[in-house]
Amino acid sequence: MSDTVSNESGDSGPQFLGQQTPLPASPEKAVLDYVPNPRPDALYLTRFAAPEFTSLCPVTGQPDFAHLVLDYAPGETIVESKSLKLFLGSFRNHNGFHEDVTVGIGQRLAEEMKPRWLRIGGYWYPRGGIPIDVFWQTGAPPEGLWVPDQGVQSYRGRG
């Protein structure tokens, strides 16, 4: 296996590491970098948590806040974490319903990275007095994969 993997733009290797990089203007303009899985023969789970994720309500334009948890079992590649951070940050100016945002993130990563398995949990803070949690996964986890609970409690207010 090569030491580099082409990213969406066709360049080799991570393009953001060690660079001052502004947030992309939109999720569509964000480039996700992928690098070779250092343990392609091992079945393991990688977890990213974004406890301060924000996007915008498509109706009011007001910010929506979520705690996102992304779990995946890598295939041939892994997502480079700085590019993932920039991609998630690009949602700060993106209008989208909770369902669209959560599922869209999971689908884009699954389509581009081609993991063995992926799931995303979007634990959204209340909008209009109702918290909305959104979950999506590519299918059943591979046999033998340890999949811990995502560890995020349902919203309970101050109590």
Side-chain angles (χ1 to χ4, degrees), residues 28-148:
E28 297 78 25
K29 292 186 182 198
V31 174
L32 285 157
D33 282 334
Y34 302 94
V35 296
N37 180 353
R39 300 281 179 178
D41 298 327
L43 179 61
Y44 65 95
L45 185 116
T46 297
R47 171 170 290 167
F48 288 101
E52 298 177 345
F53 179 84
T54 60
S55 64
L56 298 175
C57 172
V59 177
T60 66
Q62 295 296 309
D64 285 325
F65 301 90
H67 184 149
L68 297 183
V69 180
L70 174 70
D71 293 323
Y72 74 97
E76 292 297 314
T77 63
I78 59 176
V79 66
E80 190 279 311
S81 61
K82 184 172 181 183
S83 74
L84 179 64
K85 178 182 80 169
L86 292 167
F87 171 59
L88 295 178
S90 73
F91 282 87
R92 290 181 184 168
N93 295 314
H94 175 78
N95 293 308
F97 289 109
H98 298 154
E99 296 84 352
D100 182 45
V101 170
T102 305
V103 174
I105 291 168
Q107 287 179 332
R108 177 159 173 196
L109 286 164
E111 181 181 307
E112 292 181 13
M113 184 173 34
K114 299 184 183 7
R116 295 181 188 180
W117 178 79
L118 180 143
R119 78 171 173 186
I120 186 169
Y123 301 86
W124 293 84
Y125 292 89
R127 178 196 287 167
I130 299 174
I132 300 172
D133 294 338
V134 181
F135 307 97
W136 182 83
Q137 65 183 31
T138 56
E143 186 175 332
L145 179 66
W146 177 49
V147 182

